[in-house]
Amino acid sequence: MHEIQYDELGQYRHFLSVEGSSEALLTKLLDDTEQFTAVAERRVKKLPLLNGKTIVNLFFEPSTRTRTTFELAAKRLSADVLNVNIATSSTSKGETLRDTIANIIAMQCDCLVVRHSTSGAIHYVAEHTPAGIAVVNAGDGSHSHPTQAMLDMFTIRRHKQQFTGLKVAIVGDILHSRVARSQIHALKTLGAAQVNVIAPLTLLPKSIETLGVEVHTSLTSGLKDCDVVIMLRLQKERMNGALLASESEYYQQYGIDQARLKLAKPDAIVMHPGPINRGLEIASEVADGPQSVILEQVTYGIAVRMAVLSTTIANQQQQLNNLATKIAETANNGGLA
Ligand code: ASP
């Protein structure tokens, strides 16, 4: 489905989804991320890897962490960054996604980092982008958020060292969560022993169990023996219609506080992709407590995005070089008149 994201050697030329990626490819990204975390410890937090390259952040949906950490990642790799403000762009004047992309491409950029409210929109962008330009998915509808999943995997690996044997719970609005979908694919590929999704029936997608997860409608059964507890936000902006009796009832049943966290293993880590809603899905005592790694996730987001940007842009460059070599060879062999 996402074949377009690989070059002929099976490496990422775009980063659209973790679904279908091999364990080796995901592990390589995590290993590259490990290298990039060291850059932040330097006096000058910069590497010249993407010097002279231009990266455009094109966010058609609101973002705080993802956009800023993509920008920081690009700057730490010495790229030039352009943030297009969609609210004041021609999209509000009726320009289509295809035309917006065509115009940005005409500005000779090397990478597009795109967020869009429609599932599949980033794949569409990649299909309409010429060779040499990398497209990175920064979240599309409720489909996929691959860099978030990889920063989550990196955080888990840092704390638990390996995925084998791990039991992970994902709690909350699974139905609308692109993060949950990408996390499930990544966890299953990297070898987690068990992934439990915990939510009221109204917030569970149909046939979610076909992804290889165990479905629970109660925290008591779902959190038992878990090493990792991932909390999700209620995505009210994507809900059309009442899916919950009331927010307070939701919190009573699915919100996590210190007492309910005890249902998981004593050394379980608590994660959340943000933005967190205190008192709605997570109590402050947990969000700010000793088991929370929520802010570490944000920090690791920079290194993961450095790994993704440098990999995709380098592979696109390599493809252009290969193409140039082929053209030169054909010309030398008299193939070009
Ligand atoms: N920040 C994440 C996303 O963009 C999660 C959320 O918004 O709740 O999908």
Side-chain angles (χ1 to χ4, degrees):
M1 182 191 174
H2 296 287
E3 294 305 311
I4 192 179
Q5 74 179 341
Y6 308 107
D7 62 21
E8 56 274 20
L9 297 174
Q11 307 297 319
Y12 290 120
R13 61 174 167 181
H14 302 298
F15 194 55
L16 308 177
S17 172
V18 289
E19 186 184 346
S21 282
S22 65
E23 182 181 1
L25 216 45
L26 297 187
T27 303
K28 162 105 178 43
L29 261 186
L30 296 179
D31 293 343
D32 289 350
T33 300
E34 198 69 60
Q35 309 284 323
F36 284 121
T37 53
V39 177
E41 275 131 44
R42 299 179 176 196
R43 193 178 57 81
V44 178
K45 298 189 190 66
K46 258 186 192 295
L47 289 177
L49 273 181
L50 297 183
N51 201 358
K53 300 287 183 196
T54 307
I55 296 174
V56 179
N57 281 329
L58 203 54
F59 279 59
F60 294 88
E61 262 197 337
S63 170
T64 307
R65 280 152 293 273
T66 306
R67 201 204 55 72
T68 46
T69 52
F70 261 113
E71 181 171 352
L72 267 177
K75 287 182 168 164
R76 288 193 183 167
L77 292 168
S78 308
D80 294 314
V81 188
L82 187 67
N83 291 304
V84 181
N85 188 351
I86 300 297
T88 56
S89 77
S90 291
T91 304
S92 57
K93 299 182 191 167
E95 187 172 69
T96 64
L97 174 62
R98 187 158 182 188
D99 284 332
T100 305
I101 297 298
N103 279 269
I104 300 286
I105 290 168
M107 296 173 201
Q108 301 170 311
C109 62
D110 302 283
C111 176
L112 296 169
V113 177
V114 190
R115 168 170 287 192
H116 202 281
S117 58
T118 306
S119 300
I122 323 298
H123 196 273
Y124 173 87
V125 171
E127 278 172 345
H128 292 89
T129 301
I133 302 177
V135 176
V136 177
N137 185 350
D140 65 323
S142 52
H143 170 239
S144 158
H145 195 347
T147 58
Q148 175 72 47
M150 291 315 289
L151 74 89
D152 296 333
M153 296 308 113
F154 187 78
T155 308
I156 293 174
R157 195 173 82 164
R158 271 269 167 122
H159 282 269
K160 302 290 173 188
Q161 284 72 49
Q162 54 177 16
F163 293 92
T164 327
L166 277 191
K167 204 169 157 185
V168 181
I170 308 178
V171 189
D173 186 359
I174 315 283
L175 181 63
H176 301 102
S177 179
R178 52 196 174 203
V179 175
R181 271 176 198 73
S182 292
Q183 286 169 337
I184 292 168
H185 287 298
L187 284 164
K188 299 300 292 180
T189 307
L190 290 165
Q194 194 174 321
V195 181
N196 291 352
V197 292
I198 311 171
L201 286 173
T202 48
L203 293 182
L204 282 166
K206 274 199 200 88
S207 319
I208 182 85
E209 60 287 343
T210 57
L211 297 183
V213 296
E214 223 176 73
V215 177
H216 293 260
T217 50
S218 113
L219 283 180
T220 314
S221 64
L223 288 186
K224 195 168 179 298
D225 296 330
C226 281
D227 303 278
V228 178
V229 180
I230 302 176
M231 302 304 297
L232 299 173
R233 180 178 69 89
L234 286 176
Q235 302 207 12
K236 290 188 236 167
E237 74 277 20
R238 293 189 215 281
M239 294 184 191
N240 40 19
L243 293 176
L244 297 170
S246 76
E247 287 182 357
S248 62
E249 199 173 298
Y250 176 81
Y251 182 65
Q252 288 310 315
Q253 289 186 40
Y254 298 98
I256 192 119
D257 59 14
Q258 208 53 49
R260 284 178 222 135
L261 182 54
K262 290 207 166 71
L263 294 164
K265 279 192 183 164
D267 64 346
I269 54 169
V270 178
M271 302 172 64
H272 193 306
I276 63 171
N277 285 314
R278 292 168 187 266
L280 183 46
E281 72 267 355
I282 190 165
S284 285
E285 61 183 7
V286 173
D288 307 326
Q291 287 168 266
S292 167
V293 296
I294 295 171
L295 293 178
E296 271 181 60
Q297 290 173 261
V298 178
T299 304
Y300 295 145
I302 304 168
V304 161
R305 289 171 176 133
M306 288 170 83
V308 168
L309 292 174
S310 55
T311 302
T312 51
I313 294 174
N315 288 340
Q316 289 283 359
Q317 187 61 57
Q318 188 56 46
Q319 282 204 302
L320 284 188
N321 296 348
N322 294 348
L323 196 65
T325 314
K326 256 190 216 151
I327 292 171
E329 278 169 8
T330 318
N332 288 341
N333 295 338
L336 290 182

